[in-house]
Amino acid sequence: MNRRSIIATLTVLVSFCNVWAQNVVTFTPGKDTVTINKHIYGHFAEHLGRCIYDGIYVGEENTTIPHTNGVRNDVIDALKNLNIPNLRWPGGCFADTYHWKDGIGPKGKRPSIVNTWWGGVTENNSFGTHDFLNMCELLGTEPYLAGNVGSGEVQELSDWVQYVNFGGKSPMSDLRRENGREKPWNVKFWGVGNEAWGCGGNMTPDYYADVYRKYATFMSDWTNTGGLFRIASGANGADYNWTETLMKKIPKNLVKGIALHHYAVIEWKKKGPSTMYTDEQYFKTMKSAWLMNELVEKHSAIMDKYDPAKEIALVVDEWGGWYEVEPGTNPGFLYQQNTMRDAMIAGMTLNIFNNHAERVRMANLAQTVNVLQAVILTEGNKMLLTPTYHVMEMYKVHQDATLIPIQLNSADFVFNGEKIPAVTASASIAKDGKTHISLVNIDPTKEQAITVDVADKKYKSINGRLLTSKKLRDFNSFDNPANIKPAVFNEAQIKNNQIALKLPPFSVVVLELN
């Protein structure tokens, strides 16, 4: 072999090694002490567009769509398969205009209201407290009730707590029994208002902190072990002063969680289409989604100053992609399709939450059915599962598993001189001893070769699942509902203490190691 050939061969070898070295996941040994709280995998159902009516709830009198007490059976089965740990209701912005007593008692006597936030449509209150809480029992999930602080009074929220949680004799528990429910539901999770900085009242952080203290004080409950899990309305994105003020002014005995809202959005005035987005719009969406990592870290750092023991959870109870509505649909209904871009957002975001599980202990994808980054879409008696659904289903192996801390060196996804990490990952050990690693490659054109160094852990076998598609803009339609679905992934190889694999462009892989 001549000198020129040797140099060419070495160049190829160095280039090959660099490709593998660009993406290296390393297990950090001896620090497996944090649990990935299952409540990170929560969902959100608001009285918005077709999420509740025509999505989850079709009414008891419906004869064309199989249901249980008006709730679609196909939706029930799909959500059960996700093992959803909690479900937030009734909002959102709707929560601070919702008066819970309008939604109890005989349905024919319930007053109608106008949903002033979402489309100006008439709300007949046929889906109320009993309907929601009974559905949660059916799903085997914990309800998360968002209380009305914006337009409601302290007594109204206090009464709601007593109505759903008190087992003894009282005015509200007697009213519950009159309406057909003997035993209380013992609801643990309560949001004290929603987006108080905006649709919840346009409050300042100092004013809201005082309002919160007042409302939380009168939310009495002696039935839940450890008391109510009260969640304060938290910051909008990077409003760090909001978090600082709440942590400084609210006593620890009154709060268990501080919320945070962040959506992956290109621009609020120009959100772009859900399916026919440009390459630039894709990059901007992913850049906005990746911002979640910075937001979680900076809000957590503020919370650490006042709560070094991490007793108060960071609750990201609204997250997901937000685009323009589908052409021809009500702009107030926020109905959008769900492509592989949404799968990228879901996989990346859940990896971020998993890796910050010491502080992030609850989150809620917005929203469950037919709204924003939904996991389910419905059309009449048809139903489909979105790419986001499949990511959530693949990742459910992390629920209540022990986090494996990792170090990640990732290649860059570069567009027009800007860059963000192409690869995100998280890992955990389930209660049955199996290790799971979730990996995401958001680069739409480049395959990513990855090495996983599992340190001192020993594994005998490895298998995996893959979610990708032929095109980035692919989605599941009612004509082709299984266009995108998980497939078997057998490309990962394990030798000694290292795993080697290649992630296809815009893909999610979850590995299981035994």
Side-chain angles (χ1 to χ4, degrees):
M1 183 179 292
N2 60 35
R3 185 172 180 271
R4 182 175 296 178
S5 297
I6 293 171
I7 292 173
T9 302
L10 289 174
T11 300
V12 170
L13 289 172
V14 169
S15 175
F16 177 78
C17 291
N18 284 339
V19 168
W20 284 100
Q22 277 184 326
N23 300 289
V24 179
V25 179
T26 305
F27 284 13
T28 304
K31 296 182 180 179
D32 305 348
T33 58
V34 175
T35 297
I36 299 174
N37 196 309
K38 67 179 181 179
H39 290 293
I40 285 173
Y41 290 80
H43 293 260
F44 173 31
E46 183 170 7
H47 285 242
L48 195 174
R50 297 192 302 114
C51 182
I52 300 296
Y53 302 110
D54 193 41
I56 290 172
Y57 183 77
V58 293
E60 289 92 330
E61 305 303 319
N62 193 296
T63 58
T64 60
I65 300 174
H67 63 84
T68 301
N69 298 323
V71 178
R72 295 180 65 127
N73 289 343
D74 51 4
V75 170
I76 291 170
D77 292 341
L79 294 180
K80 278 185 175 182
N81 187 48
L82 285 185
N83 295 345
I84 69 167
N86 70 77
L87 185 59
R88 182 175 179 240
W89 176 85
C93 293
F94 183 80
D96 280 301
T97 59
Y98 182 68
H99 300 281
W100 68 270
K101 288 182 181 177
D102 291 345
I104 60 173
K107 299 200 175 188
K109 296 182 179 180
R110 297 180 187 179
S112 293
I113 63 171
V114 176
N115 191 332
T116 54
W117 284 111
W118 305 118
V121 296
T122 300
E123 158 73 57
N124 67 10
N125 282 305
S126 58
F127 189 88
T129 295
H130 288 249
D131 307 276
F132 174 71
L133 296 180
N134 289 342
M135 180 185 73
C136 286
E137 286 187 334
L138 199 61
L139 291 171
T141 192
E142 290 203 54
Y144 169 13
L145 295 178
N148 183 345
V149 169
S151 67
E153 300 298 328
V154 173
Q155 186 67 54
E156 182 178 1
L157 184 51
S158 176
D159 283 349
W160 203 14
V161 175
Q162 188 181 103
Y163 185 88
V164 302
N165 280 7
F166 188 61
K169 183 173 177 57
S170 73
M172 290 301 102
S173 58
D174 286 347
L175 180 59
R176 181 190 70 239
R177 293 182 183 98
E178 288 177 22
N179 290 326
R181 173 78 182 198
E182 174 61 35
K183 294 181 180 179
W185 290 278
N186 294 329
V187 176
K188 178 171 67 174
F189 297 111
W190 292 82
V192 185
N194 167 77
E195 294 189 355
W197 41 263
C199 63
N202 283 305
M203 303 178 195
T204 65
D206 290 276
Y207 180 77
Y208 171 70
D210 289 337
V211 168
Y212 177 92
R213 290 164 64 124
K214 180 180 179 181
Y215 276 73
T217 297
F218 290 95
M219 295 170 68
S220 301
D221 180 26
W222 301 99
T223 59
N224 283 287
T225 302
L228 298 180
F229 196 104
R230 301 181 189 87
I231 299 167
S233 173
N236 177 23
D239 186 352
Y240 301 113
N241 178 58
W242 188 280
T243 298
E244 182 102 34
T245 302
L246 299 195
M247 291 300 296
K248 189 186 302 181
K249 295 192 68 173
I250 298 175
K252 284 187 180 179
N253 67 307
L254 289 180
V255 64
K256 293 286 184 69
I258 302 288
L260 169 65
H261 289 181
H262 172 64
Y263 287 93
V265 62
I266 299 168
E267 296 177 37
W268 283 109
K269 291 183 179 180
K270 295 181 179 179
K271 301 183 187 72
S274 66
T275 57
M276 301 305 294
Y277 43 87
T278 65
D279 292 344
E280 180 181 17
Q281 288 171 327
Y282 173 73
F283 180 84
K284 286 184 175 180
T285 305
M286 300 318 299
K287 182 181 177 182
S288 180
W290 176 241
L291 179 61
M292 181 69 81
N293 191 70
E294 177 181 316
L295 295 175
V296 165
E297 290 184 346
K298 289 187 175 181
H299 284 289
S300 295
I302 293 169
M303 296 175 75
D304 286 347
K305 289 197 311 185
Y306 302 92
D307 176 34
K310 294 180 170 55
E311 297 175 50
I312 300 172
L314 181 59
V315 179
V316 190
D317 56 12
E318 288 189 28
W319 67 271
W322 193 323
Y323 323 117
E324 302 296 345
V325 302
E326 294 306 300
T329 65
N330 189 322
F333 282 10
L334 305 188
Y335 177 78
Q336 61 189 41
Q337 249 299 350
N338 201 289
T339 70
M340 281 302 301
R341 173 174 64 171
D342 297 278
M344 298 300 97
I345 293 172
M348 173 195 285
T349 303
L350 292 171
N351 281 338
I352 292 169
F353 292 162
N354 287 349
N355 288 325
H356 294 89
E358 200 169 13
R359 179 65 78 178
V360 180
R361 298 198 290 276
M362 189 170 181
N364 300 82
L365 174 68
Q367 292 187 12
T368 313
V369 185
N370 292 333
V371 172
L372 297 177
Q373 193 175 338
V375 292
I376 295 169
L377 300 179
T378 66
E379 184 180 89
N381 61 1
K382 297 179 181 178
M383 185 206 77
L384 65 80
L385 309 177
T386 67
T388 299
Y389 177 97
H390 293 306
V391 174
M392 298 287 280
E393 189 275 328
M394 291 166 68
Y395 273 53
K396 69 183 180 181
V397 293
H398 290 302
Q399 292 187 23
D400 281 344
T402 301
L403 176 69
I404 300 175
I406 61 169
Q407 291 181 341
L408 171 62
N409 293 321
S410 170
D412 292 325
F413 168 29
V414 181
F415 187 87
N416 284 348
E418 293 188 88
K419 61 183 181 180
I420 54 177
V423 175
T424 60
S426 63
S428 68
I429 302 174
K431 292 178 181 178
D432 62 5
K434 295 178 181 178
T435 293
H436 296 97
I437 308 170
S438 49
L439 300 150
V440 180
N441 174 21
I442 64 170
D443 194 306
T445 61
K446 294 181 180 178
E447 177 182 76
Q448 300 293 333
I450 298 177
T451 297
V452 182
D453 185 344
V454 300
D456 59 351
K457 301 189 186 309
K458 305 294 183 182
Y459 300 107
K460 295 180 180 179
S461 64
I462 183 170
N463 58 71
R465 300 172 72 199
L466 165 72
L467 189 74
T468 190
S469 192
K470 292 180 180 179
K471 297 178 181 178
L472 176 65
R473 294 160 183 82
D474 283 350
F475 56 88
N476 289 337
S477 67
F478 292 104
D479 292 329
N480 189 6
N483 185 39
I484 300 171
K485 61 182 180 180
V488 174
F489 183 76
N490 290 324
E491 303 303 313
Q493 304 294 324
I494 186 166
K495 186 176 181 180
N496 297 326
N497 288 5
Q498 288 197 332
I499 301 167
L501 70 150
K502 293 181 180 180
L503 285 181
F506 60 92
S507 66
V508 178
V509 166
V510 175
L511 302 176
E512 180 176 285
L513 291 82
N514 295 284

